[in-house]
Amino acid sequence: MDSRTKPGALGILVDAVVGNVALDSPEMGAVFERLRIHAPERAAFTEKVRRHQGELTRLQRRERELGVLFSSARELAELRDIDALLGRLVSRAHEMMGTDVTYLSEFDPATRELNVRKTVGSVTAQFQHLRVPPGMGLASQIANSRSPQWVRTYQDWAEGEHETRIDDAVAGEGIVSILGVPMLTEGHVLGVLFAATRTEHIFTPEEIAVLSALADHASVVLQTASTLERVRQSEDEARAALDRLTEYLRVRDRSTVVHQELIEALLVGGGFDQVAGTLSTALGRTVTIVDRDLRPVSAPQSTSATTPLVLPSKVLQAVTTSRTTGHCVRVDDPETPVVAAITAGELYFGAVLISDGEAELGPVDERTIERAAQVGALLVLQQNAVADADLRARVELVADLLDPAPERRRDLERRARAQNIALAALDTVVLLSVPADDRATTARAATGFVGQHGLVGEHAGMVVAVLTATAPSDLVTDLRDYLRETLHGPVLAITTPTAESPDVLPARFESGLRTARLLAALGTTDAAVSTDAYLPYALLFDTDARTLNAFIDEAIGAVRAYDTRKSADLLETLRAFVRNEASPTKTARALNYHTNTILQRLDRLKTLLGDDWRSDEHLFRISAAVRLDELRTQ
């Protein structure tokens, strides 16, 4: 061989190996001639070169595939948009496989459907949104078997279940051959990656391997997406839990401050106004506190403190429910949506009424309202305890003031001063006659009403008010009206004449007690009277009701019986005659009758009362009976 031609021959041989020169080309024939390679060696050489060309082609393709896989791996590590990454993977698979249509179906574990999520090369909307029911189509078979599968002609595929909607979508896309590989993670199916052609195609093991590698990448993407979604959910839940905890701690801290202020109101005597003000500031709502009779004990300035509130029936029912449960109750009422009863065991003292507001009340706020109601109950018990102690002291003082025994009247000046009352200012005794069961309530109510104008206590079966000279002139009238409204029943108020000094008070009380007994005998239970009007009769009859009524019946009973029998008014004529100095003329003028008419009636009275009924002694008894009868019927 000529060495000068050798490089040229070697270059042609190298070009033949890499595929730049065909093995049956004239150039190769000239090389074989030049190298004196005969037919047998030529055939062997050609076969070897073809094998090397095939291997080189395979390696080149493998290089491209690995390049794509490495690119996908880098994108997987760098890209955070899961949807975009899946789209990129499907596009890479489409490029590598060289198929007409490439798509990814995601597995829904809840419905067990396979839903097309990403497509490349698809032209129909029906295929791009295809949903494969469980057990149907090639996709379900791949998912169930967890292994790659392919079909040469899908329309002729008979190994699985066809479904009309799937077949129509595949036919509409013009797909003939399909290769599918599962996307798995820890044995669980995440989806299926498909490569399809619109002409018949036999998929090689290398193609299956490449698509499987990309499916593995897609699996990582979906698994990462699932993990990231769980992480996001966990973060959201943790953030929400932290927000709830932060809000709870904020509300709890606020509630703690409110509780401290409520306890302070109890300890320092701030009263219901401080409780309502503290609660109102904390809740951002108007707070009204009422007693058991629905009278406001702490309310906005526009609300009357003496007039009971008129509440809807549903609010009243909610208060009743709160009394039973011990918790605040929400009400479907725009004015008072939340109430809490003020109770201590079986005792009911009133309620806390919460108005509507902008901020929603939470469980901690409800506990705060309940705590305010409890503090309110403690305030009532505290006030009652103080009032009871004060009442006992006043009762003892009143009893000693009204008892003439010298040993009980010692140290009255100091004890009266302890009640902020000047002993010398006490000058009027008022007896309040009520049923025995109402005396304690009457004494407590009268004490609050009288205030610094006197002392109130129970003595000798009566509620007694000893008033000062500075008391308003209409205090007794107002006090009786207040007690009648409080007790919802009759109240007999007996006022005695003014006492010149505290030493006269026992005598004034004894006079009032006689009058009370007289009125009880007459059946009078609801009136405001003075002892002066009843003094003569009280001295005569004292407490003997039987004797008193017998005296009236004996003196004028015949006249009353006549009027009843004849439907006459002879008793009225007798009353006018007594009131007008036993003068027929004055009686006729008072009744607007003629004098002769009065004289005729007086003759009838003579027949009923006796011939001497106008004598001094008889007329005195008749006059007394007439007056007592009038008092009895008032």
Side-chain angles (χ1 to χ4, degrees):
M1 180 185 299
D2 188 350
S3 60
R4 288 179 295 180
T5 61
K6 193 173 183 179
L10 287 175
I12 293 173
L13 289 174
V14 171
D15 288 339
V17 171
V18 299
N20 293 331
V21 176
L23 292 174
D24 55 355
S25 66
E27 291 88 349
M28 282 302 299
V31 171
F32 288 145
E33 290 293 336
R34 199 178 303 168
L35 297 176
R36 296 178 183 177
I37 298 174
H38 303 292
E41 291 90 352
R42 243 185 238 187
F45 177 80
T46 300
E47 179 61 29
K48 185 177 292 188
V49 170
R50 290 188 189 281
R51 286 200 305 270
H52 283 299
Q53 286 179 341
E55 181 64 19
L56 182 59
T57 301
R58 186 185 68 79
L59 291 175
Q60 289 173 340
R61 185 178 65 207
R62 185 61 174 168
E63 181 183 11
R64 290 196 305 272
E65 293 171 354
L66 290 174
V68 172
L69 292 175
F70 287 146
S71 297
S72 298
R74 283 195 302 270
E75 291 172 349
L76 178 62
E78 297 173 357
L79 197 59
R80 291 294 177 264
D81 188 339
I82 301 301
D83 200 59
L85 184 52
L86 286 176
R88 191 78 57 82
L89 281 171
V90 174
S91 296
R92 295 282 191 185
H94 189 70
E95 294 172 5
M96 292 174 59
M97 297 298 295
T99 50
D100 299 313
V101 180
T102 307
Y103 58 100
L104 183 149
S105 293
E106 187 176 7
F107 182 71
D108 186 345
T111 62
R112 303 193 65 80
E113 291 181 336
L114 282 157
N115 306 317
V116 173
R117 180 166 178 177
K118 291 293 179 182
T119 65
V120 177
S122 173
V123 295
T124 63
Q126 182 182 7
F127 189 86
Q128 293 166 0
H129 301 91
L130 182 62
R131 302 173 69 88
V132 178
M136 295 295 175
L138 180 62
S140 295
Q141 186 160 318
I142 295 171
N144 293 335
S145 66
R146 290 173 170 75
S147 63
Q149 296 188 30
W150 65 276
V151 293
R152 187 169 180 175
T153 305
Y154 181 76
Q155 298 299 334
D156 298 334
W157 176 63
E159 286 76 11
E161 293 289 336
H162 281 264
E163 203 260 347
T164 302
R165 188 161 48 86
I166 300 173
D167 291 347
D168 291 344
V170 172
E173 198 65 44
I175 292 174
V176 178
S177 299
I178 304 175
L179 166 63
V181 294
M183 297 183 297
L184 305 174
T185 177
E186 298 179 353
H188 299 291
V189 178
L190 301 178
V192 179
L193 182 61
F194 291 96
T197 62
R198 293 188 172 94
T199 58
E200 285 191 15
H201 181 75
I202 298 175
F203 291 95
T204 66
E206 289 82 1
E207 291 174 323
I208 296 174
V210 170
L211 195 61
S212 296
L214 288 170
D216 291 340
H217 280 204
S219 298
V220 172
V221 173
L222 289 177
Q223 181 64 17
T224 302
S226 178
T227 302
L228 289 176
E229 181 62 26
R230 288 197 298 271
V231 169
R232 279 195 294 269
Q233 289 179 354
S234 299
E235 289 178 350
D236 292 342
E237 291 173 0
R239 190 175 295 107
L242 179 60
D243 292 342
R244 289 195 299 271
L245 178 60
T246 302
E247 177 64 17
Y248 173 80
L249 291 176
R250 186 187 66 79
V251 175
R252 189 195 65 178
D253 291 343
R254 184 190 69 187
S255 177
T256 301
V257 173
V258 173
H259 293 172
Q260 292 173 347
E261 293 178 357
L262 291 175
I263 295 301
E264 182 182 353
L266 176 65
L267 295 178
V268 304
F272 287 106
D273 287 338
Q274 185 172 342
V275 172
T278 298
L279 194 59
S280 177
T281 301
L283 302 180
R285 299 174 179 225
T286 301
V287 176
T288 302
I289 302 178
V290 297
D291 62 14
R292 59 180 302 152
D293 296 320
L294 300 182
R295 290 187 179 88
V297 295
S298 179
Q301 295 182 352
S302 59
T303 304
S304 172
T306 58
T307 304
L309 297 181
V310 179
L311 299 177
S313 59
K314 58 177 124 181
V315 176
L316 296 176
Q317 181 59 44
V319 173
T320 302
T321 302
S322 181
R323 290 177 59 182
T324 303
T325 62
H327 298 294
C328 65
V329 177
R330 293 182 180 268
V331 190
D332 183 18
D333 182 78
E335 299 295 330
T336 311
V338 182
V339 301
I342 301 175
T343 60
E346 298 296 325
L347 301 177
Y348 168 63
F349 301 125
V352 178
L353 310 177
I354 310 297
S355 74
D356 195 12
E358 295 181 0
E360 181 67 22
L361 297 181
V364 176
D365 295 318
E366 291 183 355
R367 301 295 84 77
T368 300
I369 296 171
E370 293 167 4
R371 182 66 61 88
Q374 293 170 357
V375 170
L378 292 175
L379 278 174
V380 174
L381 292 174
Q382 182 186 64
Q383 292 171 356
N384 288 348
V386 172
D388 289 343
D390 184 64
L391 182 60
R392 285 193 296 271
R394 286 172 177 256
V395 166
E396 293 175 359
L397 179 56
V398 168
D400 292 344
L401 277 171
L402 302 180
D403 195 310
E407 62 273 13
R408 297 194 61 177
R409 300 183 62 79
R410 295 169 185 167
D411 204 22
L412 289 178
E413 180 69 38
R414 181 191 63 78
R415 293 163 61 193
R417 191 165 55 251
Q419 298 293 331
N420 296 318
I421 296 291
L423 180 63
L426 297 173
D427 66 353
T428 304
V429 177
V430 179
L431 286 76
L432 301 168
S433 179
V434 295
D437 293 341
D438 292 333
R439 286 173 190 163
T441 302
T442 301
R444 186 176 289 108
T447 298
F449 191 90
V450 170
Q452 298 303 312
H453 294 300
L455 299 170
V456 178
E458 290 187 56
H459 185 59
M462 292 283 171
V463 177
V464 184
V466 184
L467 305 180
T468 64
T470 59
S473 58
D474 56 353
L475 179 63
V476 175
T477 301
D478 293 341
L479 173 61
R480 176 174 172 266
D481 292 341
Y482 173 71
L483 293 176
R484 292 177 78 246
E485 185 179 354
T486 301
L487 300 176
H488 304 291
V491 175
L492 176 61
I494 303 169
T495 304
T496 65
T498 302
E500 298 80 10
S501 71
D503 293 335
V504 183
L505 293 177
R508 292 287 187 266
F509 172 74
E510 187 62 29
S511 174
L513 191 60
R514 280 199 214 80
T515 302
R517 291 168 180 165
L518 174 64
L519 291 173
L522 293 172
T524 301
T525 60
D526 190 25
V529 301
S530 171
T531 56
D532 289 345
Y534 295 85
L535 184 59
Y537 315 109
L539 291 172
L540 286 173
F541 298 98
D542 199 10
T543 61
D544 192 350
R546 184 186 61 79
T547 302
L548 184 148
N549 287 291
F551 168 76
I552 294 174
D553 289 340
E554 180 182 356
I556 61 173
V559 179
R560 180 178 292 280
Y562 177 85
D563 283 348
T564 301
R565 188 171 62 252
K566 298 292 187 178
S567 298
D569 58 350
L570 203 58
L571 183 58
E572 183 63 28
T573 301
L574 178 59
R575 289 174 178 173
F577 184 74
V578 170
R579 283 196 299 268
N580 288 278
E581 303 172 357
S583 167
T585 302
K586 291 181 180 180
T587 302
R589 190 179 302 116
L591 295 178
N592 200 25
Y593 286 144
H594 194 275
T595 303
N596 292 336
T597 301
I598 296 301
L599 291 174
Q600 292 174 4
R601 293 189 176 189
L602 293 177
D603 288 339
R604 175 60 62 186
L605 286 172
K606 178 179 177 180
T607 303
L608 296 173
L609 298 175
D611 293 340
D612 63 342
W613 75 278
R614 294 174 66 176
S615 64
D616 291 343
E617 178 63 24
H618 201 167
L619 184 59
F620 171 74
R621 291 197 302 272
I622 290 173
S623 298
V626 166
R627 179 57 183 151
L628 288 171
D629 184 62
E630 285 183 312
L631 294 174
R632 185 171 62 178
T633 56
Q634 284 181 352

